[in-house]
Amino acid sequence: MSELTQSKAWLALLKHYDEIKLVHMRELFDQSDNRFARYSLQLNDILYDYSKNRINDETVELLLQLANDVELPLWIEKMFSGEPINHTEHRAVLHTALRDQRDQPLIVDGIDILPEIREERKRVKQLAEKIRTRKWRGATNQAITDVVNIGIGGSHLGPLMVTEALRPHTLHDLNMHFVSNVDENHINDTLEYLNPETTFFIIASKTFTTQDTMVNAETARQWYINKLGSEECIERHFSAVTSNVTLAKDFGIAENNIFKIWDWVGGRYSLWSSIGLSIVIAIGAEQFDELLAGAYEVDQHFRHAPLEKNIPVLMALLGIWYNNFFEAQSMAVLPYDQHLHRFPAYLQQADMESNGKYVDRQGHEVDYTTGPVVFGEIGIAGQHAFFQLLHQGTKMVPADILAPVYDFRCIVKHHRALMSNVFAQTEALMRGKTEQEVYQELKAEGLDEIQIKQLMPYKVFLGNRPTSTLLFDTLDAKTLGSIIALYEHKIFVQGVIWNINSFDQWGVELGKQLAKNIAHELNDEKLVKSHDCSTNGLINHYKRQRSKKTCKK
Ligand code: F6P
């Protein structure tokens, strides 16, 4: 039995769960008029409403007790001060340093890391500004019209998500492209319409060894050379963001165009670093600073607000409540702002790569469940796709809803329709529809008693389905920075409570290792028998079919 599941707070939560599990949120709302005031918090432009959750004061108190029992405040300090809390890789976890606005040194391994961070950011901004103002010229003296970021995972999802989210702030005559899939369709579909003379590549890879990225980077380089007939001016068209400067240089990238990241920045937490080069090119230095400022404000809030008023802490505790006591397996993230359409994909990596772990900090298998399956989609699209399951399925899917008070163009007709859905969905999921309500509705529609009886079971909604809503004024860079940081810290808090290391990702290694070996086996037409019969069967079928067609190398 783990310390966690034996802790006083955990046992008390188990008992409390038994008492509250059948209580309907309708009752909770009926009992108190000020439930919204009690269970909502405001941080700058963001309102966090967590009142439509299956909680009462005792739930919150016990969850806070749990956070205190695992010494959460101490862990928060450990992270911010640069202790090597990523113990399996002996690394500090300092994405917060990348947005630190204070004038105080931050010492890691005897060195103040802030000057180097700021220096590197200056270089990023200088390059970005030259490209944005058309001062950066390609090999044939033309300005850049297209920027292609080649990367995957954290070197892709964060920059793509932010660039899409802040689309209104991007330049209209500078197109951003993001290539991640090693499937040739991705890079070739992208390059097909581009002009090498006006295209600039960013090879974004912390390690500079990720197979997918390196294969795509090589294809991009070859495309450039083939089209322009020379390797000479490659430095006018290629840059790299990496912690492996040597490999980037070996690839042929000029030192001036290599931007550093540090091993204390996790890939999925790296959009604030030079990995954000594509973001800075897209939105400009000022907007990028706003993004950092928004995140910094949340960092301050997370570090200093008492736990009971601390938004990421409450977000995390609610997740624990559903995950470990209600045994919810998943959580949905549902942005109602179209510009946040890549946010669910971004959050999937941030959350699932961080907390999808069954081994605790002491190396033991845990006896409780950890990270949920995170999924999501633009809320309106989800309503016409998977919301049926959220409303009437047999699984509880706690959902986060994100919506703006103003959208970018502030068009009343669209926004009213959008927001009416936001409010309606959270209400419907919470209240459901009782038999009595269905009866009255069908009666009013003119159905007879037999018809009503037949339809009744299908029309009833049990409700009691939890949602939390983040309602923000508008999706500007600062607010976006804050939203991302809220989720980063939420993930951290959950990792602390589950006693797992949220900052390594050993689980992605096995597949990579096997793929490397199999890639060798795919070099010839010899049939293989080194695997299980299914894998052998698949590989051999592939080889036979493939041999019927002549393909390019
Ligand atoms: O395979 C997982 C992973 O290591 C992620 O953690 C990371 O964001 C991604 O691959 C890309 O890694 P890199 O930036 O080193 O290419």
Side-chain angles (χ1 to χ4, degrees):
M1 285 287 198
S2 63
E3 244 179 68
L4 180 64
T5 54
Q6 288 310 295
S7 69
K8 232 170 118 191
W10 189 277
L11 295 172
L13 277 162
L14 273 179
K15 186 161 166 284
H16 174 64
Y17 166 72
D18 266 340
E19 291 154 9
I20 206 174
K21 68 183 178 201
L22 297 178
V23 175
H24 201 290
M25 277 190 277
R26 276 185 185 230
E27 284 173 50
L28 297 172
F29 274 93
D30 287 346
Q31 278 162 20
S32 156
D33 271 350
N34 75 342
R35 192 172 164 83
F36 171 72
R38 198 167 184 76
Y39 299 129
S40 62
L41 287 167
Q42 175 104 30
L43 178 63
N44 303 327
D45 287 350
I46 303 173
L47 170 71
Y48 175 56
D49 170 25
Y50 62 104
S51 61
K52 290 194 185 84
N53 279 287
R54 293 170 70 169
I55 54 168
N56 61 18
D57 285 356
E58 191 181 348
T59 327
V60 177
E61 209 176 290
L62 290 173
L63 287 167
L64 289 167
Q65 186 56 51
L66 187 68
N68 276 310
D69 284 0
V70 299
E71 300 186 310
L72 177 62
L74 196 76
W75 278 96
I76 295 175
E77 269 324 291
K78 282 189 194 187
M79 178 172 75
F80 277 95
S81 59
E83 278 195 39
I85 58 171
N86 175 357
H87 71 290
T88 58
E89 297 181 304
H90 314 289
R91 289 174 183 169
V93 172
L94 277 170
H95 44 281
T96 51
L98 297 163
R99 55 232 191 183
D100 194 335
Q101 321 258 306
R102 296 168 312 162
D103 273 334
Q104 283 170 22
L106 180 50
I107 309 294
V108 177
D109 295 332
I111 296 168
D112 178 9
I113 59 170
L114 294 182
E116 207 187 339
I117 291 174
R118 289 167 188 166
E119 186 48 40
E120 208 57 13
R121 180 162 311 129
K122 209 159 108 192
R123 294 183 59 232
V124 164
K125 286 179 177 174
Q126 278 165 354
L127 171 64
E129 227 29 49
K130 278 187 198 154
I131 292 178
R132 285 171 61 80
T133 54
R134 306 173 73 86
K135 288 193 184 115
W136 183 275
R137 294 286 155 157
T140 55
N141 204 29
Q142 298 199 50
I144 300 301
T145 57
D146 293 87
V147 175
V148 184
N149 186 85
I150 298 179
I152 199 162
S155 303
H156 167 76
L157 289 165
L160 170 62
M161 180 272 287
V162 172
T163 306
E164 287 293 296
L166 300 178
R167 198 180 182 73
H169 302 279
T170 57
L171 294 174
H172 294 302
D173 55 356
L174 187 57
N175 306 309
M176 305 300 299
H177 310 266
F178 292 85
V179 172
S180 59
N181 195 344
V182 72
D183 175 358
E184 55 124 332
N185 290 320
H186 204 177
I187 184 97
N188 285 326
D189 288 356
T190 306
L191 297 182
E192 200 167 16
Y193 300 104
L194 299 187
N195 174 358
E197 295 174 74
T198 58
T199 300
F200 188 83
F201 292 95
I202 302 167
I203 315 301
S205 175
K206 184 176 167 187
T207 53
F208 227 74
T209 56
T210 305
Q211 187 200 39
D212 322 80
T213 301
M214 296 330 295
V215 171
N216 279 328
E218 192 48 54
T219 298
R221 184 171 64 173
Q222 210 46 57
W223 172 83
Y224 169 82
I225 295 169
N226 291 349
K227 296 267 176 179
L228 287 191
S230 124
E231 202 168 333
E232 250 172 52
C233 293
I234 215 159
E235 81 265 20
R236 307 302 304 160
H237 294 270
F238 279 80
S239 66
V241 183
T242 186
S243 60
N244 199 334
V245 175
T246 313
L247 284 185
K249 278 201 223 159
D250 292 350
F251 183 86
I253 293 176
E255 197 159 358
N256 270 347
N257 294 353
I258 300 175
F259 299 91
K260 218 175 126 182
I261 51 171
W262 301 270
D263 63 6
W264 42 257
V265 191
R268 53 195 174 273
Y269 299 92
S270 66
L271 68 90
W272 322 98
S273 71
S274 313
I275 286 287
L277 172 59
S278 53
I279 303 175
V280 190
I281 294 175
I283 64 171
E286 248 175 60
Q287 291 295 320
F288 191 73
D289 283 344
E290 285 288 294
L291 187 80
L292 298 176
Y296 176 68
E297 282 181 5
V298 167
D299 293 343
Q300 293 295 96
H301 166 80
F302 180 51
R303 198 170 182 180
H304 301 297
L307 298 188
E308 68 277 12
K309 298 223 175 307
N310 199 312
I311 298 178
V313 171
L314 291 165
M315 288 165 77
L317 292 175
L318 286 169
I320 301 273
W321 179 229
Y322 295 123
N323 192 73
N324 296 95
F325 298 91
F326 282 84
E327 295 181 2
Q329 296 290 321
S330 60
M331 73 150 290
V333 54
L334 307 167
Y336 276 76
D337 188 312
Q338 182 60 29
H339 289 150
L340 281 176
H341 72 112
R342 297 305 290 163
F343 191 71
Y346 159 80
L347 197 62
Q348 266 179 339
Q349 186 201 10
D351 199 317
M352 293 167 82
E353 203 173 68
S354 296
N355 286 340
K357 306 194 174 146
Y358 69 85
V359 177
D360 70 15
R361 292 189 146 267
Q362 287 69 41
H364 302 132
E365 199 169 317
V366 296
D367 59 359
Y368 41 86
T369 60
T370 60
V373 175
V374 177
F375 76 102
E377 177 53 278
I378 286 296
I380 289 286
Q383 283 176 217
H384 298 275
F386 55 80
F387 269 44
Q388 166 65 37
L389 186 146
L390 303 196
H391 283 286
Q392 287 189 319
T394 53
K395 296 178 175 63
M396 178 208 258
V397 184
D400 281 3
I401 301 218
L402 293 87
V405 174
Y406 303 101
D407 51 12
F408 177 63
R409 295 178 188 84
C410 215
I411 297 174
V412 173
K413 185 173 79 173
H414 283 269
H415 206 62
R416 195 169 38 207
L418 175 83
M419 294 307 290
S420 60
N421 279 281
V422 170
F423 302 131
Q425 287 299 330
T426 68
E427 189 174 25
L429 286 160
M430 185 275 282
R431 290 183 63 81
K433 199 189 271 181
T434 62
E435 281 191 10
Q436 203 188 359
E437 286 163 345
V438 176
Y439 181 85
Q440 276 158 6
E441 198 177 276
L442 295 181
K443 192 94 187 145
E445 282 173 27
L447 270 67
D448 64 29
E449 293 296 322
I450 295 173
Q451 288 169 318
I452 292 177
K453 202 170 166 210
Q454 275 170 350
L455 260 185
M456 176 70 81
Y458 306 103
K459 298 281 254 181
V460 167
F461 288 61
L462 297 175
N464 218 11
R465 318 242 158 169
T467 59
S468 305
T469 304
L470 286 165
L471 195 58
F472 44 89
D473 282 0
T474 196
L475 191 63
D476 55 23
K478 195 163 177 201
T479 300
L480 179 65
S482 294
I483 292 172
I484 301 168
L486 285 174
Y487 278 95
E488 284 181 345
H489 294 322
K490 170 205 162 170
I491 292 164
F492 169 71
V493 172
Q494 293 191 330
V496 170
I497 292 176
W498 288 323
N499 186 30
I500 55 178
N501 179 1
S502 301
F503 301 103
D504 58 13
Q505 57 282 319
W506 301 106
V508 298
E509 293 305 321
L510 177 60
K512 283 190 197 172
Q513 241 171 38
L514 295 183
K516 220 183 209 172
N517 297 338
I518 293 176
H520 288 303
E521 293 177 329
L522 300 183
N523 273 339
D524 55 43
E525 290 181 9
K526 260 191 277 161
L527 299 187
V528 298
K529 45 183 185 215
S530 50
H531 306 270
D532 59 87
C533 66
S534 160
T535 313
N536 285 338
L538 290 167
I539 294 175
N540 292 335
H541 177 80
Y542 168 84
K543 286 190 178 216
R544 277 190 215 100
Q545 293 302 103
R546 188 90 186 168
S547 67
K548 294 179 189 159
K549 198 164 158 39
T550 319
C551 295
K552 282 192 222 146
K553 279 278 171 203

